[in-house]
Amino acid sequence: MVNPRKIAYVTLLGRSEWALVNTYYAVASKGRKPKRVFVFTEKTYRDKLPRVVEAIRAISEAYNFMPEIESVVIPDNSFLEADKKFKELFQRLEKEGYTIGLDVTSGRKALATAAVVQIRDFPVDRIIYMALLDMDFPDRPYMMIPRHMQRLKNFLGDENVSEI
């Protein structure tokens, strides 16, 4: 049985660190407190992982929780490897009783597609994407971008996400 308090947050790191970090910030600010965070990225972007993990820790700490953070590096454009790794992770999380949230905002196509294909068979309660409506603000922290320029969407629920 899935425990709604046992939340795993799976996020995808692509070109934009800010897209991942700002989406995590938005989700945390709305009260989502995952026990575990998994950052998937491709080999090309692995050098960004330390900064992203540090930012996730800082944001989590600011909201009074401290998730376990793991990262997974996939060979570039390897849908099959990503598909395998997501399936293994989602099976493990399901057995451990987690509800899974997936953030595809920063993900490259191979990762995002593999994650969405695999997650359909597991206890997922949100697939999140944050759109940036004005590209004048791509590399700024969440709180420095006007809120009306950011649209947080849960593809499994309401367009106007109040509780994510």
Side-chain angles (χ1 to χ4, degrees), residues 4-5 7 23 42 61 64 81 96 119 125 128 139 141 144 151 153 155:
R5 302 244 185 251
I7 298 167
T23 304
E42 292 177 312
E61 189 175 315
N64 299 312
E81 182 68 17
E96 294 173 8
I119 208 160
D125 63 349
I128 302 161
D139 297 327
M144 291 180 68
R151 291 280 160 70
K153 170 129 177 88
F155 288 109

Side-chain angles (χ1 to χ4, degrees), residues 63-83:
Y63 285 98
N64 299 312
F65 69 102
M66 193 50 70
E68 176 184 327
I69 304 169
E70 295 180 41
S71 58
V72 179
V73 178
I74 304 292
D76 290 345
N77 302 307
S78 181
F79 173 83
L80 293 176
E81 182 68 17
D83 189 62

